[in-house]
Amino acid sequence: MAYSEDDLKQDLVDQEYEFGFTTDVDSEKIPKGLTEETVRIISSKKEEPEWLLEYRLNALRVFQGMTEPDWAHVTYEKPNLQDIVFYSAPKPKKELASLDEVDPEILKTMERLGISLEEQKKLTGVAVDFVMDSVSVATSFKEKLGELGVIFCSFSEAVKEHPELVKKYLGTVVPSTDNYYAALNSAVFSDGSFCYIPKGTKCPMELSTYFRINESGTGQFERTLLIADEGSYVSYLEGCTAPQRDENQLHAAVVELIALDDAEIKYSTVQNWYPGDKNGLGGVFNFVTKRGICQRNAKISWTQVETGSAITWKYPSCILKGDNSVGEFYSVAVTNNHQMADTGTKMLHIGKNTKSTIISKGISAGMSHNSYRGLVKIGKGADNARNFSQCDSLLMTDTCGAHTYPYIECENSSAHLEHEATTSKIGEDQKFYCMQRGIGEEKAISLIVNGYAKEVLNKLPMEFAVEAQKLLEISLEGSVG
Amino acid sequence: MLKVKNLHASVGDKEILKGLNIEVKAGEVHAVMGPNGSGKSTLSAVLAGRDEYEVTAGEVDYLGKELLELNPEERSWEGVFLAFQYPVEIPGVSNINFLKTAINERRKYFEQDPIAAKDFLKMVKEKSALVELSDKLKNRSVNVGFSGGEKKRNEIFQMAMLEPKLSILDETDSGLDIDALRIVAHGVNTLKSKDNATIVITHYQRLLDYIIPDFVHVLYDGRIIKTGGKELALELEEKGYDWLTKEEA
Amino acid sequence: MVVMKENNLLSSLSQMGVGLGAKNQAFELLKGLEFPTRKTEDWRYTSVKKILKKKYVQFNEAEKVGLSNEIVPSLDAYNVVLVNGVYSKELSDLNFPDEIVLDTFPKALEEHVSLIHSTFNGIAKNNEEVFTALNTSYFHEGVFIHIPKKVKLEKSIHVIHVNTKCNVVSNVRLLIVADEFSEVGVVQSFASVNAMECLTNSVTEVFVKENAKVVIDKVQSEEPKNNLICTVQVNQKANSTFKINTATVSGDFVRNGVNIEVDGENCTSEMNGLYMQKGIQHVDNHTKIGHLKPNCTSFELYKGVLSDKSTGVFNGKVIVAVDAQKIEAYQQNKNILLSREATMNAKPELEIFADDVKCSHGTTTGQFDDEAIFYLQTRGISKESAKKLLIEAFADEVIDKVDSEELRIWIKEKLD
Ligand SMILES: Nc1ncnc2c1ncn2[C@@H]1O[C@H](COP(=O)(O)OP(=O)(O)OP(=O)(O)O)[C@@H](O)[C@H]1O
Ligand SMILES: [Mg+2]
């Protein structure tokens, strides 16, 4: 008998979170809640210098004067900050010289995620900075990178080893006054990644970080700072998965990219935090501020595949300050069940001859809501600026929603801006054509959706593209309405 | 191979097929002709299992199975192939990936292992040569940006790859220049054997010069109103449909 | 009310004329509403500060004026004229067919109480739009048009608003009720003669019943230094057609709101707009179409040419409600900036809650294609003429949406 829509719906409902498991590692936590004391504890535990403590405390003061924002089409119960543990580091926390020293439980976790360090090392030559509940556990390929002068380490390590760089650039792209969650992050960030590519260096391998939220009730506040010095190039991968949890977990990261003259940064994300169950229970709140600044002739390219989180609020942005700089944003966002995603980008054209491209593909299924929200601003001095935006939405069920809110502001007559958006149902003709050729409905949908997202998936580095494709398939299995 | 008895089908409230009968045996070529809107594409869509068309009466026996009970992909696995009058574009999905998926899904149905990459590539090379489809087109997204003629050739290429038992070609000749017509016809003729059958839907006698039918049927207002040999096509070319439809009225 | 220090607008107004419960209700509502600031999402690109700061005068008697420029030559229409917001009997046509009702508000209220009570203020968004609430509270003149069942009015109705004095404030109201199977075309024009610093706040409610057709052509050619706020609220029932074309030729501050609720199946809705601002003029077009029922189509095309230091705003929202399947909604916004100092802000939005839909929007902002200009130059056309030609061609796409040729010619003349 034919695979009916009801079967498909049932499949969807039954589909469990593939990576939903918890690693059994002792964690060292500090008491719940957010006060000046919390901030001081975090800072002292990490043995931070005075200036950084000051930075955190300033941010805390800013934060305390702010109110949590409300957004259209994203409704949720606001996380109670007093109920969150702001710091949790896996124990034992000691310097690790090689992977062998990593807790076998953690290695097992990684294996189940299909990202075992060994495998990755062997097969792809990727250097991985693995972050488990905010503290960097193992960093590989460090020496090899060291020879080139590339610094790739945990944020706390950078504070100790390269304070001058951290001090110079921290908060220059995302000031702690930027928004509610950026202020929060600036006050309590636990750890993250730091990366510096020296002048004229082309980083020979993809740098990669895997984030995972492990400890129940832990807020995760990573901080990433990436500096590409003049004429350098780096491709950075960031992947996230979180184990299944019944209570909502807050994730408020800040990522700052600095591309100096003639530098190029390619930043790719595959985000698969736990989305909550079919009833909308649990799941990660993903409130992230990502922004990069481009100096002369520099280029920043954001690519993201977002399939996870109960709520995603994320606008990787580019400040195109230098003349001839280029910003790109390629995004695929899939929402299913009760997920809500509000994502997009901001392209701020300041320099002359700046160019930006935005390709956004939203796919909504179940009862989810998927919104694109973006800003393209052409400043007065941005002569000959160019922007092209294409925002498409694909609807899988009659219970989901897809929304598009682009803001286009142009203050310079020599600019050229083009924005296009479409919303439509998955094509019946296409489905039937596939089926006539013997491709079943499920497979047909996955084929069509992957084709639809191709433009973006193509921008991902090879190793990621396969995983992303798999994630799309998993998130949409049986999502026919 | 195919026995269609008293087939009635409608879209919404509109009845399009009104008691259609046709029988096709292995090794035969049948041509179906008829004025625009008479129901030719509807017939092919119903045979392929498009669910917009509701079958209200009649039965279809295909190799001893109730064809109407099967869903579209099962029909495909069982050897029914439809060359679409308007082939569908699928952005981002390459022709090659599309065909490989199709072939492997069928192999799965027959509990065979997926086709080896080497064999698949060999097959692609061989079959695309048959319809002179360029390499560029094979790697492009399914039908996206193909010219009308290229789309039709791609349909025959797919047909060659899937090796069907019953092929229904819905106006595969329209939009083809004379060379392309010859290429397509050559492809169809090469694939012909005593075990498979072809239904050719067309408006023009010229295709039938290349693909020689054993029977010609005239479809009018949802019914076959006349059946004859290949000379019927010539007669239609000359006289049009009026003399037949008047008779009918 | 949140009393703004600089809100002279409110103190310039006094309630008079029409006695309607709705007015008092709106007045109460107004007390709780705030005037928009840049933080109000719907007004983020348009500041009303200047308008609120000014002192105005409210008129209650019509001026006697000549109207040669404000009447569309050879347009077959019944003219209804309001001077400084007050109905002018002398300037208006009085002999229209018996079957239609074309009346000014105070009078209509006496003669058609029940009809007005069942429609008037029924769809105006007093609680969301402060300028609508303001209009409902303070309007004292306006026009009521009722086209009964099956009546197809051959001639257009041309409602002419003209200001002839400085600092005039007027809250004018239009109510159009098109009954089942009826058809009507309404032209609404706004102009001023030797007047400056005026504010016209116009609210129009349109009821398009089953199978009816209503077309509105708005022509806005206020002299510079005048301010205009125009809100059109539409309700469409099944199988109906509604079309509105808005041409903004001038005016220092123009804000147009068009809000259509499509509350029936098989409807067609169309919104077109052209704005060609110069100097420091500011034009803001806000449109919203809510598809509440399935099987409808809507089209939208707004185009702008901005010179000097002018600014343009386009905010178009398309909403497809849950279960409103088989909707096709298309929206386009195209802008040309002719000067370095001109600014354009565009915000096209789609909110889709049904799955079987085809919706798209597109917006472009840029300048002329140099290739095209060069091409024309090689054919012996000077650069200046080439630009002019291209602007005309650009504008024509919208002007061609106006059905009446006389009106098209009139608009083109005004644009020159
Ligand atoms: N999905 C549909 N919805 C409504 N009417 C349809 C649909 N499909 C077919 N029809 C109508 O049914 C009739 C038969 O259509 P069909 O496409 O089968 O004709 P045809 O014989 O293939 O014509 P042609 O020679 O032009 O290809 C036509 O009147 C057509 O308009
Ligand atoms: Mg046909």
Side-chain angles (χ1 to χ4, degrees):
Chain A
M1 201 29 233
Y3 193 64
S4 75
E5 279 179 20
D6 292 51
D7 297 335
L8 287 168
K9 275 190 189 134
Q10 193 52 47
D11 271 10
L12 173 64
V13 168
D14 293 343
Q15 163 139 21
E16 289 293 321
Y17 181 65
E18 224 201 19
F19 300 141
F21 51 90
T22 311
T23 315
D24 221 357
V25 184
D26 274 348
S27 280
E28 179 193 11
K29 293 193 210 169
I30 62 169
K32 290 177 177 180
L34 176 58
T35 59
E36 194 177 311
E37 199 44 36
T38 324
V39 173
R40 285 184 188 280
I41 295 176
I42 294 172
S43 191
S44 79
K45 275 211 182 278
K46 303 175 77 62
E47 299 159 15
E48 285 176 356
E50 191 60 27
W51 63 266
L52 195 51
L53 175 65
E54 268 316 302
Y55 180 85
R56 288 176 181 274
L57 290 173
N58 265 329
L60 182 70
R61 280 188 281 275
V62 169
F63 173 76
Q64 284 165 339
M66 289 173 145
T67 43
E68 187 165 4
D70 283 305
W71 300 286
H73 296 292
V74 178
T75 45
Y76 61 97
E77 206 178 304
K78 293 182 174 149
N80 178 2
L81 295 178
Q82 296 312 329
D83 216 28
I84 285 176
V85 177
F86 281 89
Y87 181 80
S88 121
K91 282 193 298 197
K93 186 179 165 280
K94 58 170 180 168
E95 286 294 312
L96 300 169
S98 79
L99 287 181
D100 307 338
E101 290 177 42
V102 175
D103 190 318
E105 274 293 325
I106 293 175
L107 287 178
K108 238 193 347 221
T109 306
M110 293 189 287
E111 258 158 54
R112 279 197 66 184
L113 287 169
I115 53 139
S116 120
L117 284 182
E118 271 129 326
E119 234 192 357
Q120 295 236 354
K121 263 165 86 173
K122 263 190 262 138
L123 294 176
T124 59
V126 173
V128 177
D129 184 22
F130 189 78
V131 174
M132 183 164 231
D133 279 332
S134 329
V135 171
S136 177
V137 193
T139 304
S140 52
F141 281 87
K142 220 172 185 170
E143 287 143 52
K144 202 168 159 195
L145 293 172
E147 284 164 26
L148 289 165
V150 173
I151 304 167
F152 180 41
C153 61
S154 73
F155 198 90
S156 352
E157 204 179 321
V159 170
K160 293 200 181 87
E161 311 276 323
H162 311 280
E164 69 302 334
L165 283 173
V166 178
K167 203 170 168 182
K168 183 168 174 195
Y169 290 107
L170 179 69
T172 55
V173 192
V174 181
S176 44
T177 48
D178 194 78
N179 67 67
Y180 186 81
Y181 285 104
L184 176 61
N185 177 289
S186 300
V188 301
F189 66 84
S190 32
D191 210 337
S193 298
F194 176 86
C195 176
Y196 171 81
I197 317 292
K199 267 188 200 171
T201 305
K202 189 172 180 311
C203 186
M205 59 188 88
E206 318 263 2
L207 301 182
S208 162
T209 308
Y210 261 86
F211 288 115
R212 250 170 87 69
I213 300 179
N214 202 44
E215 203 58 42
S216 172
T218 333
Q220 183 143 9
F221 305 94
E222 318 90 2
R223 187 89 194 189
T224 302
L225 182 57
L226 201 163
I227 303 142
D229 211 330
E230 291 172 20
S232 67
Y233 167 86
V234 62
S235 167
Y236 190 90
L237 320 180
E238 169 199 63
C240 323
T241 51
Q244 191 152 359
R245 284 291 173 200
D246 278 343
E247 67 209 85
N248 290 305
Q249 292 166 295
L250 179 63
H251 177 82
V254 170
V255 176
E256 295 180 279
L257 308 186
I258 292 128
L260 298 178
D261 293 0
D262 303 297
E264 180 176 349
I265 301 174
K266 201 170 143 66
Y267 196 102
S268 315
T269 307
V270 172
Q271 187 263 113
N272 183 34
W273 301 115
Y274 178 52
D277 69 6
K278 59 177 193 283
N279 298 316
L281 194 68
V284 170
F285 290 168
N286 190 23
F287 301 138
V288 179
T289 308
K290 291 184 167 177
R291 195 176 302 150
I293 188 164
C294 286
Q295 301 295 354
R296 217 162 37 81
N297 302 327
K299 176 175 173 181
I300 289 179
S301 181
W302 298 99
T303 305
Q304 59 174 31
V305 175
E306 304 276 325
T307 64
S309 293
I311 299 167
T312 300
W313 173 91
K314 179 178 170 192
Y315 315 94
S317 304
C318 297
I319 303 171
L320 303 173
K321 183 160 173 269
D323 292 352
N324 312 317
S325 59
V326 178
E328 293 176 340
F329 174 74
Y330 302 99
S331 168
V332 177
V334 183
T335 52
N336 203 344
N337 293 322
H338 289 267
Q339 279 177 277
M340 287 178 272
D342 198 303
T343 181
T345 182
K346 289 182 188 168
M347 293 290 175
L348 306 172
H349 292 252
I350 299 168
K352 295 185 178 41
N353 305 315
T354 45
K355 262 206 317 221
S356 63
T357 305
I358 299 171
I359 309 280
S360 161
K361 306 272 180 180
I363 300 152
S364 350
M367 324 262 280
S368 69
H369 282 268
N370 201 328
S371 304
Y372 169 83
R373 196 182 299 275
L375 168 70
V376 176
K377 189 180 170 84
I378 311 290
K380 281 235 174 302
D383 289 358
N384 298 315
R386 296 280 178 274
N387 163 264
F388 175 77
S389 312
Q390 170 85 46
C391 306
D392 295 326
S393 307
L394 199 61
L395 295 151
M396 311 290 285
T397 57
D398 58 5
T399 46
C400 61
H403 316 297
T404 316
Y405 306 98
Y407 292 71
I408 296 137
E409 304 179 2
C410 179
E411 294 180 356
N412 186 305
S413 67
S414 61
H416 252 294
L417 293 122
E418 248 179 275
H419 167 94
E420 281 169 30
T422 62
T423 304
S424 57
K425 194 186 171 175
I426 182 159
E428 287 299 326
D429 290 359
Q430 295 175 342
K431 249 165 49 185
F432 178 67
Y433 191 73
C434 293
M435 282 152 78
Q436 208 301 305
R437 299 300 185 248
I439 301 168
E441 186 167 19
E442 281 256 300
K443 192 88 195 168
I445 288 170
S446 134
L447 206 63
I448 295 164
V449 167
N450 262 304
Y452 164 84
K454 196 67 158 203
E455 249 178 297
V456 174
L457 298 178
N458 275 348
K459 301 285 171 189
L460 287 173
M462 266 301 281
E463 308 87 312
F464 253 31
V466 180
E467 181 175 348
Q469 209 154 331
K470 201 174 126 209
L471 274 181
L472 280 193
E473 202 158 316
I474 292 171
S475 340
L476 281 171
E477 249 162 44
S479 60
V480 202
Chain B
M1 178 178 271
L2 180 75
K3 267 187 220 137
V4 180
K5 267 188 253 162
N6 187 33
L7 187 64
H8 288 256
S10 48
V11 173
D13 302 331
K14 190 180 170 194
E15 181 163 59
I16 301 172
L17 299 183
K18 303 171 180 172
L20 184 140
N21 296 294
I22 193 170
E23 185 172 348
V24 179
K25 296 207 178 74
E28 290 177 351
V29 175
H30 290 243
V32 175
M33 304 180 80
N36 293 131
S38 55
K40 301 183 298 291
S41 293
T42 304
L43 173 64
S44 59
V46 168
L47 292 178
R50 178 123 215 190
D51 62 5
E52 245 170 283
Y53 298 85
E54 197 194 344
V55 175
T56 50
E59 48 194 82
V60 180
D61 177 284
Y62 169 72
L63 294 170
K65 291 196 181 66
E66 290 258 20
L67 187 70
L68 300 175
E69 297 284 294
L70 305 179
N71 65 27
E73 61 270 29
E74 287 165 338
R75 298 181 200 205
S76 170
W77 298 331
E78 293 293 346
V80 176
F81 180 87
L82 170 63
F84 286 58
Q85 180 171 5
Y86 305 107
V88 178
E89 301 184 359
I90 311 181
V93 178
S94 77
N95 242 335
I96 289 295
N97 183 14
F98 178 69
L99 275 169
K100 197 164 143 206
T101 313
I103 285 173
N104 283 335
E105 290 277 296
R106 164 165 6 170
R107 292 176 71 99
K108 201 156 80 193
Y109 175 70
F110 289 111
E111 291 175 357
Q112 294 164 332
D113 288 337
I115 188 166
K118 207 176 82 216
D119 299 340
F120 178 71
L121 285 177
K122 197 171 141 229
M123 192 166 164
V124 166
K125 216 169 153 196
E126 207 177 288
K127 306 291 183 182
S128 57
L130 196 66
V131 284
E132 297 175 26
L133 198 72
S134 80
D135 281 347
K136 262 196 284 171
L137 291 182
K138 281 179 287 188
N139 290 315
R140 286 234 305 262
S141 295
V142 179
N143 293 323
V144 177
F146 285 32
S147 74
E150 285 166 348
K151 282 184 184 167
K152 296 298 172 76
R153 264 195 272 167
N154 194 25
E155 291 292 284
I156 302 302
F157 168 55
Q158 292 181 19
M159 172 177 151
M161 291 291 290
L162 294 172
E163 300 173 330
K165 296 200 182 89
L166 175 67
S167 308
I168 307 160
L169 312 182
D170 191 356
E171 300 201 19
T172 303
D173 54 333
S174 55
L176 294 185
D177 62 32
I178 197 74
D179 290 332
L181 186 71
R182 221 176 280 141
I183 293 167
V184 163
H186 170 71
V188 174
N189 286 328
T190 315
L191 297 170
K192 216 171 94 178
S193 79
K194 63 176 183 7
D195 300 321
N196 61 26
T198 313
I199 299 176
V200 183
I201 296 173
T202 183
H203 283 288
Y204 304 105
Q205 151 65 24
R206 61 171 196 173
L207 176 68
L208 303 179
D209 286 343
Y210 298 99
I211 304 173
I212 301 183
D214 302 297
F215 299 95
V216 174
H217 308 271
V218 177
L219 180 59
Y220 177 72
D221 195 21
R223 264 184 295 250
I224 304 279
I225 56 165
K226 182 145 185 102
T227 296
K230 62 172 190 280
E231 52 313 322
L232 178 58
L234 285 167
E235 204 172 346
L236 290 169
E237 179 95 344
E238 198 180 307
K239 299 200 216 161
Y241 295 106
D242 277 2
W243 60 284
L244 278 171
T245 59
K246 277 203 197 94
E247 231 167 72
E248 178 74 2
Chain C
M1 153 151 308
V2 184
V3 186
M4 296 184 48
K5 252 187 270 148
E6 297 176 313
N7 195 329
N8 288 322
L9 167 60
L10 282 172
S11 48
S12 313
L13 293 168
S14 63
Q15 275 190 306
M16 51 183 206
V18 193
L20 258 177
K23 283 185 76 161
N24 297 327
Q25 279 166 23
F27 189 70
E28 286 306 310
L29 205 57
L30 193 58
K31 289 181 187 167
L33 293 174
E34 284 182 47
F35 279 89
T37 64
R38 289 289 182 122
K39 291 213 174 97
T40 315
E41 184 62 32
D42 267 349
W43 292 83
R44 96 188 245 137
Y45 300 115
T46 299
S47 164
V48 297
K49 240 190 189 152
K50 270 217 281 239
I51 300 183
L52 300 180
K53 231 163 52 185
K54 282 183 188 145
K55 284 211 169 79
Y56 302 94
V57 209
Q58 191 175 315
F59 276 69
N60 50 18
E61 236 170 282
E63 274 285 298
K64 288 180 188 149
V65 286
L67 272 189
S68 55
N69 277 332
E70 312 319 323
I71 292 179
V72 186
S74 63
L75 178 73
D76 200 8
Y78 304 110
N79 294 324
V80 182
V81 184
L82 287 94
V83 182
N84 300 323
V86 186
Y87 173 65
S88 164
K89 203 167 171 176
E90 279 162 40
L91 295 169
S92 302
D93 286 330
L94 298 168
N95 38 350
F96 31 82
D98 288 341
E99 68 259 32
I100 68 160
V101 177
L102 179 56
D103 237 329
T104 59
F105 252 112
K107 199 159 149 269
L109 197 59
E110 284 164 27
E111 289 166 21
H112 311 278
V113 192
S114 66
L115 189 56
I116 290 186
H117 273 279
S118 65
T119 50
F120 179 79
N121 210 34
I123 47 176
K125 295 266 183 285
N126 292 303
N127 49 345
E128 289 169 25
E129 289 284 345
V130 63
F131 287 102
T132 300
L134 191 79
N135 179 286
T136 311
S137 311
Y138 289 104
F139 89 96
H140 53 98
E141 287 276 12
V143 182
F144 172 51
I145 299 169
H146 176 228
I147 314 295
K149 259 186 203 172
K150 296 192 181 162
V151 172
K152 297 198 163 125
L153 200 62
E154 298 281 323
K155 283 169 94 168
S156 305
I157 295 170
H158 185 177
V159 181
I160 301 169
H161 302 269
V162 55
N163 285 326
T164 60
K165 284 275 187 325
C166 291
N167 304 312
V168 174
V169 62
S170 53
N171 284 292
V172 289
R173 189 88 173 200
L174 233 68
L175 174 59
I176 302 172
V177 181
D179 280 348
E180 292 79 358
F181 295 96
S182 70
E183 274 181 29
V184 64
V186 177
V187 181
Q188 197 182 13
S189 65
F190 297 86
S192 40
V193 179
N194 302 323
M196 283 201 307
E197 312 285 351
C198 297
L199 170 63
T200 305
N201 180 28
S202 155
V203 172
T204 302
E205 286 175 282
V206 188
F207 290 85
V208 194
K209 304 270 181 73
E210 282 87 355
N211 300 288
K213 178 178 178 184
V214 174
V215 176
I216 296 179
D217 294 301
K218 276 198 302 181
V219 184
Q220 302 169 326
S221 54
E222 293 278 0
E223 286 169 350
K225 301 236 164 161
N226 283 313
N227 309 293
L228 179 58
I229 300 173
C230 264
T231 311
V232 180
Q233 192 72 38
V234 186
N235 180 275
Q236 276 186 268
K237 292 287 189 253
N239 308 311
S240 67
T241 304
F242 175 76
K243 169 159 138 175
I244 183 164
N245 301 314
T246 306
T248 310
V249 177
S250 58
D252 263 10
F253 175 100
V254 181
R255 160 91 175 198
N256 288 308
V258 177
N259 192 348
I260 306 177
E261 280 168 18
V262 190
D263 191 15
E265 293 196 34
N266 305 311
C267 292
T268 305
S269 322
E270 199 177 330
M271 291 176 266
N272 304 299
L274 176 67
Y275 39 98
M276 302 187 81
Q277 307 305 97
K278 294 178 270 305
I280 53 156
Q281 297 174 355
H282 178 92
V283 61
D284 178 343
N285 279 295
H286 260 68
T287 69
K288 185 157 141 189
I289 181 154
H291 285 286
L292 308 176
K293 298 278 158 66
N295 298 309
C296 293
T297 312
S298 64
F299 302 95
E300 187 170 358
L301 175 67
Y302 272 78
K303 288 178 115 177
V305 180
L306 301 169
S307 334
D308 307 329
K309 293 184 172 172
S310 63
T311 44
V313 179
F314 172 77
N315 186 155
K317 193 172 206 159
V318 175
I319 302 166
V320 178
V322 177
D323 295 334
Q325 302 293 0
K326 306 252 183 250
I327 296 293
E328 291 191 26
Y330 305 102
Q331 184 191 72
Q332 272 292 328
N333 170 236
K334 297 181 184 170
N335 304 291
I336 288 181
L337 301 184
L338 291 179
S339 108
R340 277 196 69 91
E341 279 132 328
T343 300
M344 180 66 211
N345 298 308
K347 199 180 153 220
E349 300 173 90
L350 296 173
E351 281 185 17
I352 317 288
F353 297 91
D355 67 330
D356 195 0
V357 299
K358 279 188 197 148
C359 299
S360 71
H361 70 219
T363 171
T364 57
T365 301
Q367 54 298 141
F368 283 120
D369 185 1
D370 288 337
E371 281 274 312
I373 292 177
F374 175 71
Y375 181 78
L376 290 171
Q377 282 176 304
T378 65
R379 298 293 178 267
I381 298 164
S382 76
K383 195 164 180 173
E384 274 318 294
S385 310
K387 273 196 176 158
K388 198 161 165 277
L389 212 64
L390 290 173
I391 293 176
E392 274 170 27
F394 181 82
D396 276 353
E397 194 189 351
V398 179
I399 296 175
D400 286 344
K401 306 278 181 187
V402 174
D403 298 320
S404 139
E405 187 179 357
E406 292 79 10
L407 200 54
R408 286 200 299 266
I409 294 171
W410 193 60
I411 293 171
K412 283 188 193 178
E413 273 169 9
K414 287 196 175 279
L415 284 173
D416 266 344

